[in-house]
Amino acid sequence: MLAKKESEEFKDSISKALKRKQTIVLLAHSSISYSGRAEATLDYGDRIIIIKPDKTFLVHQPTGSNAVIYMKPGSQVEISEEDGELILQSSNMTLHELVEVRIKKIISFSSASLSDAERVQLFGTEKDMSDYIYNNPDIISKDFKPVSREEQTKHGYIDVFGHDKNDNLIVIECKRTKAGPGAPQQLRRYIERLSKSKGISPDKIRGIVAAPNITKNAEHMLKELGYKFKKIDPPAYLKRKKESQHRLERFN
Amino acid sequence: MLAKKESEEFKDSISKALKRKQTIVLLAHSSISYSGRAEATLDYGDRIIIIKPDKTFLVHQPTGSNAVIYMKPGSQVEISEEDGELILQSSNMTLHELVEVRIKKIISFSSASLSDAERVQLFGTEKDMSDYIYNNPDIISKDFKPVSREEQTKHGYIDVFGHDKNDNLIVIECKRTKAGPGAPQQLRRYIERLSKSKGISPDKIRGIVAAPNITKNAEHMLKELGYKFKKIDPPAYLKRKKESQHRLERFN
DNA sequence: GGGGAGAGATGCCGC
DNA sequence: GCGGCATTTCTCCCC
């Protein structure tokens, strides 16, 4: 239970930080509830509460990598007091969502104006993988001639699209991790649509799943559908192997 | 750039907090790199860095609800100094992953021993929805007799399974949000397997997608496959409507 | 804004 | 541990 004076001080500090569009981090003994797309409750415990200047509202427990309760950017924050507890409410009118945090004790309070214009650069995505295949078609097959990447059909797109020396169409679906049953189904869907739109028998279109690995089931489905699996490591792995893993040498 | 003395003090504080298995929150001007399943870099900016006692390592930017760089629980943290920067490394030997944070300036440092044994209680999941259908079968059809929920087939499971008054099998796939093209495909897959394992013509098995809504494409696919869509609101919404929305009355 | 699919997805449960 | 799948998924991209 927060003393009246302490409570007033925190309320004041948090209000000021909110007004100044600062980032707020609280370590606090609190209970949480969420109501919106679903309903969630979390009984009293020590939590990390983050309020960002874009009004993202996050509640983390002392374990695990995901916020257990959260509100998306653009919500609205209000502070009040009740029964010796400090109450934080984050609400989003348009999404009809509400989070309520009841704070019994504040262990730590920090706030600061943070400035960050950078964006994460990510390498080794599925896109990079399809680029790699497009630029190195022999890893699929000696006679594979790629025509386009990310071919836009009206619904969804094909990762790599091309033909073999006999002008059979080839459709490749890439997965950067082990391919599951979704991959053959995606391939089937694309090929069915392609066959209809081009007036070609589906048998004339070769389907290939390119991934570092595939589950037994997905492999079985592929076989049933008459498609092939091609083992391809994602670019990051290839790159690392070639670069003798200078950054990861500690793991050798 | 951190002054030598300041740097030493922070290094000491962080080391002590780590040793005591405390939760650490840093607001710091820093650059981040990740190497593992992919490669990622993030140039200098103000970030929120969290190290939890289970060695979860999180880097948040001042916007957005997800960590931009992270390490899963169980990694290992080391601190060092180089060129007037404090360097935090989080590594996971088994996953061959490494995060490196180069800190130019520490804006705020907090640490505390947090204690939290609670777990989030979540209501309104897809599971709750299939339970609801199982217990209120007339919302699907007057003659629907449910037999089981979450029927375990060898590969995947069926949300609700039953039959009509003519003993035709009925398979229901629930989605708690708008159903996309995955739903009809899942249904098709289940029904194909079921028809094979039971030796029944697929035409004798009725497929139903139960969801609050469905995309145009998914609806079209459903029709092609001969399945039906049934509009069902997820339980949380139903519940809220009945309870006259006392918690959400502020939205009225 | 809706639709579709990737994500370093994560996390859960079942075999 | 693998596999299949939900997630208050989130996020991006394209129509």
Side-chain angles (χ1 to χ4, degrees):
Chain A
M1 172 128 168
L2 285 166
K4 186 79 183 165
K5 195 188 158 198
E6 198 189 359
S7 178
E8 282 294 338
E9 282 173 9
F10 277 126
K11 198 174 146 188
D12 206 47
S13 303
I14 294 168
S15 297
K16 269 185 193 150
L18 284 171
K19 209 166 287 173
R20 291 174 189 161
K21 301 202 171 179
Q22 294 186 316
T23 296
I24 297 168
V25 181
L26 287 169
L27 306 183
H29 189 75
S30 53
S31 72
I32 332 274
S33 72
Y34 162 77
S35 180
R37 281 172 289 178
E39 310 277 331
T41 60
L42 181 59
D43 209 347
Y44 286 95
D46 298 338
R47 315 275 147 70
I48 307 154
I49 298 155
I50 299 171
I51 306 172
K52 298 187 183 186
D54 66 354
K55 296 294 185 298
T56 299
F57 194 104
L58 303 173
V59 178
H60 275 261
Q61 291 188 285
T63 55
S65 50
N66 278 80
V68 285
I69 306 270
Y70 57 89
M71 291 284 276
K72 282 194 260 225
S75 34
Q76 192 182 328
V77 183
E78 278 168 49
I79 320 174
S80 58
E81 259 184 287
E82 198 181 291
D83 307 329
E85 292 187 322
L86 204 57
I87 295 167
L88 287 176
Q89 280 189 326
S90 170
S91 58
N92 188 311
M93 311 297 266
T94 52
L95 296 174
H96 284 225
E97 292 185 304
L98 176 66
V99 162
E100 189 175 282
V101 178
R102 302 185 73 91
I103 298 174
K104 266 208 175 109
K105 192 181 154 215
I106 291 183
I107 299 158
S108 157
F109 164 78
S110 333
S111 70
S113 297
L114 301 187
S115 158
D116 185 359
E118 298 298 325
R119 283 178 58 112
V120 174
Q121 303 291 333
L122 185 61
F123 310 97
T125 61
E126 193 191 83
K127 175 77 162 53
D128 292 332
M129 197 170 158
S130 71
D131 286 354
Y132 183 76
I133 290 170
Y134 183 80
N135 294 317
N136 303 273
D138 353 334
I139 62 172
I140 295 295
S141 160
K142 289 288 172 210
D143 66 341
F144 174 49
K145 303 289 174 199
V147 171
S148 68
R149 294 163 297 175
E150 320 248 332
E151 173 83 3
Q152 281 296 145
T153 64
K154 196 185 283 179
H155 310 289
Y157 63 91
I158 294 167
D159 290 333
V160 188
F161 179 72
H163 58 82
D164 64 18
K165 65 180 176 216
N166 301 322
D167 276 335
N168 294 312
L169 295 183
I170 297 181
V171 173
I172 300 175
E173 173 60 34
C174 301
K175 292 292 169 197
R176 66 175 304 286
T177 55
K178 187 182 278 203
Q185 291 206 36
Q186 245 178 68
L187 209 43
R188 160 149 82 166
R189 193 174 154 218
Y190 293 151
I191 288 177
E192 276 175 1
R193 288 187 184 278
L194 199 63
S195 115
K196 263 181 200 161
S197 74
K198 303 232 174 189
I200 304 170
S201 159
D203 308 335
K204 298 282 181 189
I205 304 174
R206 292 169 57 186
I208 295 171
V209 167
N213 210 337
I214 188 166
T215 65
K216 270 270 174 284
N217 264 312
E219 195 170 22
H220 187 69
M221 288 172 71
L222 264 193
K223 192 172 272 183
E224 276 183 351
L225 293 165
Y227 306 145
K228 298 282 181 211
F229 169 69
K230 185 73 191 179
K231 180 180 164 57
I232 306 282
D233 285 320
Y237 297 157
L238 295 170
K239 198 180 135 209
R240 269 217 299 283
K241 276 176 193 160
K242 280 181 193 157
E243 287 179 359
S244 68
Q245 307 171 309
H246 64 285
R247 261 198 287 189
L248 288 170
E249 58 193 10
R250 55 155 54 196
F251 296 129
N252 294 340
Chain B
M1 173 134 170
L2 286 166
K4 186 78 182 166
K5 195 187 158 200
E6 197 189 359
S7 177
E8 281 295 336
E9 281 173 10
F10 278 126
K11 198 176 147 187
D12 206 46
S13 303
I14 295 168
S15 296
K16 269 184 193 150
L18 284 171
K19 209 164 288 173
R20 290 173 190 162
K21 301 200 171 182
Q22 294 187 317
T23 295
I24 298 168
V25 181
L26 287 169
L27 305 183
H29 189 74
S30 53
S31 71
I32 331 276
S33 72
Y34 160 77
S35 181
R37 279 173 289 178
E39 311 277 331
T41 60
L42 182 58
D43 209 347
Y44 286 95
D46 298 337
R47 316 272 147 70
I48 307 154
I49 299 155
I50 300 171
I51 306 172
K52 297 188 181 183
D54 66 354
K55 296 294 186 297
T56 298
F57 193 105
L58 302 174
V59 178
H60 275 261
Q61 292 188 284
T63 56
S65 51
N66 279 82
V68 284
I69 306 273
Y70 56 89
M71 290 285 275
K72 282 193 263 232
S75 35
Q76 192 180 331
V77 183
E78 279 169 51
I79 319 174
S80 58
E81 259 183 287
E82 198 182 290
D83 307 329
E85 293 187 322
L86 204 56
I87 295 167
L88 287 176
Q89 281 189 327
S90 170
S91 58
N92 189 311
M93 312 297 267
T94 52
L95 295 173
H96 285 226
E97 292 186 303
L98 177 65
V99 163
E100 190 175 282
V101 179
R102 303 185 73 93
I103 298 174
K104 266 209 176 109
K105 191 179 154 216
I106 291 183
I107 299 157
S108 157
F109 164 78
S110 333
S111 70
S113 297
L114 301 187
S115 159
D116 184 359
E118 298 299 325
R119 282 176 59 111
V120 174
Q121 303 291 334
L122 184 63
F123 310 97
T125 61
E126 194 192 81
K127 175 77 163 53
D128 292 332
M129 196 171 161
S130 70
D131 286 355
Y132 183 76
I133 291 170
Y134 183 80
N135 294 318
N136 303 273
D138 351 334
I139 61 172
I140 294 296
S141 162
K142 290 285 171 212
D143 67 341
F144 174 50
K145 302 288 174 200
V147 172
S148 68
R149 294 164 296 175
E150 318 252 331
E151 174 82 3
Q152 282 296 145
T153 64
K154 197 185 280 178
H155 311 288
Y157 64 91
I158 294 168
D159 290 333
V160 188
F161 179 73
H163 57 83
D164 64 17
K165 64 179 175 214
N166 301 322
D167 276 337
N168 293 312
L169 294 182
I170 297 181
V171 173
I172 301 175
E173 173 60 32
C174 302
K175 294 290 170 198
R176 66 177 304 284
T177 55
K178 187 181 277 203
Q185 292 202 40
Q186 247 177 66
L187 209 43
R188 159 148 82 166
R189 193 174 153 220
Y190 294 151
I191 289 177
E192 276 176 0
R193 289 189 182 276
L194 200 62
S195 113
K196 265 181 200 163
S197 74
K198 304 233 175 191
I200 304 168
S201 159
D203 309 334
K204 297 282 181 190
I205 304 174
R206 292 169 58 187
I208 295 171
V209 167
N213 211 336
I214 187 165
T215 66
K216 270 271 174 282
N217 263 310
E219 194 169 23
H220 187 68
M221 288 172 71
L222 264 192
K223 192 171 273 186
E224 275 183 351
L225 294 165
Y227 305 145
K228 299 281 181 212
F229 170 68
K230 184 74 193 178
K231 179 178 163 61
I232 306 282
D233 284 320
Y237 297 156
L238 296 171
K239 199 180 134 209
R240 268 216 301 281
K241 275 175 193 160
K242 279 179 194 158
E243 288 178 358
S244 68
Q245 309 171 310
H246 65 285
R247 259 198 288 188
L248 287 169
E249 60 194 9
R250 54 154 55 196
F251 296 127
N252 294 342

